Amino acid sequence: MQPRPHPTLAVAFWSPKFILDVHLGLLKARSHSMEEHIGQLWHRLITRAAATGYPQAAVELTQISKAVGVLFRALGGDGGLRVEATTATAHGARRHWLQRLAGTHQQIELCWRDAEALRLPARIDCFPKKALNRDLYLWLAALAAGEIDPTQPWFQLNQALTKKTLQRFPGLQPRYQRLVKAQLALRPNLARLSPDEAAVERAIQLALRQPGSVTKWPLAKRPHQPVYLWLHPSPPVSASLVVVATPDESPTQESGKKAVDDKRRRRGERTEMPDGKKGLLAFRLESLFTMAEYTKVDRCTDDEENIEAAKQALDDMEMVSVARDNKPAASSLRFDLDLPAPAYDDTPLGEGILLPEWNYKQQQLRPDYCCLQPMLATTAQPAELPSHLKRTAHRLRRQFEALIPKRVWHKGQQNGSEIDLDAYLLHIAECRQGRMSAERGLYREFRGSSRDLACLLLADLSLSTDAWVNNNARVIDVIRDSLFLFAESLYATGDRFAMYGFSSRHRNHVRFHTIKTFEQSYDATVRGRIQAIKPGFYTRMGAAIRHASTLLNQQKLSQALLLLLTDGKPNDLDQYEGRYGVEDTRMALHEARKLGLQPFCVTIDEKARDYLPHIFGSHNYVVIRNPSELPRELPLLYARLTHS
């Protein structure tokens, strides 16, 4: 038997007023949805009508960045500069009425170069042919490889660079002529410009056809149309930001968050935190609210769920301002990289070692600039090889035993167990001819030979190694297993080796952890130190490499291998960031090579190819794509490096 509805409820739900309210609500929702749909269609239509590019012929910087980097450095460009996407900047030139209606073509990406990177457009689609857009990338790289005089006016500088580039590399002449022809086809019609704008446009076109012919630049009220073949007239210069640094997330760290890797370079500035009273300026303009000045969003704690919407908002910003919110919180989580208390820290060995550091801007070494502190794990207890590594270690030991030199006959010895018949017959023949060599050995000895080499493994123990790999192991655990198997393999060959780890916090505290010295034997004590390693702070590579080079050079053997195991690029809290840290590390490796050492880098950083060729050289590093394979690959790599 079905229950009967309550009569009061039935009247309330089916009253004429309720039905009218429902219909009005549906009409409003449908009207709002229709307005939004028509607005989107109108936006797409007017934007497409105002577009001037050729999407079908577009070339992305990611597709050609390697070729651009090779060409830039081959033509004399600074090898320490990265190749990055540039920042879109406002040009202020006259726009077509459709472009003004659509609100587009206000900004443009032009090429420029600074002390950190060569900055190129993220996408070029200005020409109708894909080959021309690709040629434009290569031409801009060749142009930026020349010597830039910042005191020259913009139009004279670009003419001088163009003229010198074509003189040095005549093979670029046909490509340049094709680009000039395509560029002139896009320039505005002189007849439709005002007299002053026409004079400027005429000078630009003449300078493109005949670089160096324009010596006096006409003046105009409005800026000219951008010139794609030239460098930026006034590259943006951002104020330096001083922010509390946190270790970079390892590229191997995986999480449930969706990430969008945007290669574009953004303009940034440091500013004061607004008071929040002028953020939303409300005025009635067809029932629209306009956001003025800023939107206060704490990006440390509030992430945009719609990542595409956040990226679109970022693309609309010409300047990204960063401010520190000093507002006290009711509760907070303290996350500082303070040093642990002495009772819980590792044991320092000595008073510290003063080391120099290379300042690439001044092109000189700063003497006694860094303090390196040797450390020894206090809580390390003797340990056995972890059970999950025993099978792999047994297989590697058997493979490495093949590297042990076999016993062979050593002929021509002054002393030995048997007479060397070949040497004796030669000695008799010389005596009968009236000449005799007193230095000739007449004996032979059956013994083994030794491998005249030493290896020092330097492991990066920065805080970034605390990241997870494939959600089942941390980077520090992978490094720990690698050290175990490396030591097991080299112990089987009898090669001299040492192992150290390093991290840093400012230049006055570079921690250099002793795991195994050259004089120590590999035993349970060393295994306990490997088991005790833990993530530290930051990565001041230069100081650690200099001290490791000193220790390795003291062995005085014919082959000395310096292996660096890392998961990222040099960085620290102070100015040891970006190119400064890269150049100091590069200089430390140059000093190591002058001592006769052989540096080699093993990394799991997927972005290492952007900076390691400049630091180590194109053949002195290897990237392990799957970090979990590092423990097995590291000993085999050592075998290949020392095979000769």
Side-chain angles (χ1 to χ4, degrees), residues 238-443:
S238 301
S240 60
L241 300 179
V242 182
V243 193
V244 176
T246 56
D248 295 336
E249 287 189 3
S250 170
T252 59
Q253 184 177 4
E254 297 182 359
S255 63
K257 296 182 180 180
K258 180 182 177 182
V260 174
D261 190 8
D262 190 354
K263 300 293 185 181
R264 276 191 181 86
R265 185 75 175 180
R266 308 290 179 180
R267 294 182 63 191
E269 65 174 357
R270 163 74 71 180
T271 185
E272 297 296 328
M273 175 62 69
D275 57 7
K277 298 179 180 179
K278 300 178 181 179
L280 185 64
L281 180 61
F283 63 96
R284 189 167 186 83
L285 177 60
E286 297 180 354
S287 301
L288 295 179
F289 286 97
T290 298
M291 189 65 65
E293 295 190 17
Y294 77 98
T295 301
K296 182 179 179 182
V297 179
D298 183 4
R299 285 298 173 191
C300 297
T301 57
D302 182 22
D303 290 335
E304 176 66 63
E305 293 183 0
N306 189 346
I307 192 69
E308 293 298 335
K311 183 178 182 299
Q312 181 63 42
L314 181 62
D315 290 338
D316 293 338
M317 298 181 186
E318 182 176 354
M319 177 73 71
V320 179
S321 300
V322 180
R324 184 188 298 276
D325 191 355
N326 296 319
K327 181 180 178 180
S331 61
S332 62
L333 173 64
R334 182 175 179 82
F335 186 69
D336 294 333
L337 293 179
D338 294 333
L339 298 177
Y344 301 97
D345 199 5
D346 294 339
T347 304
L349 304 177
E351 297 297 326
I353 302 170
L354 296 179
L355 295 169
E357 188 168 275
W358 176 253
N359 187 332
Y360 84 97
K361 294 182 179 179
Q362 301 177 359
Q363 291 294 299
Q364 65 179 6
L365 278 173
R366 295 178 171 181
D368 300 338
Y369 191 73
C370 298
C371 181
L372 182 139
Q373 179 60 63
M375 311 287 291
L376 189 65
T378 305
T379 60
Q381 299 294 329
E384 296 298 325
L385 184 68
S387 58
H388 69 280
L389 297 176
K390 289 184 177 181
R391 178 174 299 181
T392 306
H394 178 69
R395 184 176 67 252
L396 288 173
R397 281 195 299 267
R398 293 186 60 183
Q399 293 176 354
F400 272 68
E401 286 173 356
L403 300 177
I404 300 176
K406 297 179 174 60
R407 298 181 67 190
V408 294
W409 285 106
H410 294 263
K411 297 182 177 182
Q413 304 296 309
Q414 296 292 334
N415 297 292
S417 59
E418 296 183 8
I419 295 177
D420 186 351
L421 293 180
D422 294 334
Y424 182 74
L425 291 175
L426 185 58
H427 173 70
I428 294 298
E430 289 178 349
C431 290
R432 291 184 178 182
Q433 293 177 2
R435 56 187 180 86
M436 184 174 59
S437 175
E439 298 180 358
R440 185 181 304 280
L442 302 178
Y443 300 92

Side-chain angles (χ1 to χ4, degrees), residues 551-565:
L551 297 177
L552 183 56
N553 188 50
Q554 293 173 356
Q555 299 306 304
K556 304 298 181 184
L557 298 177
S558 60
Q559 185 179 6
L561 180 62
L562 176 60
L563 271 179
L564 178 63
L565 181 59

Side-chain angles (χ1 to χ4, degrees), residues 93-107:
R94 189 183 300 275
R95 294 184 293 157
H96 191 269
W97 69 271
L98 272 175
Q99 297 170 353
R100 296 196 302 271
L101 182 63
T104 59
H105 294 74
Q106 300 181 33
Q107 297 181 337

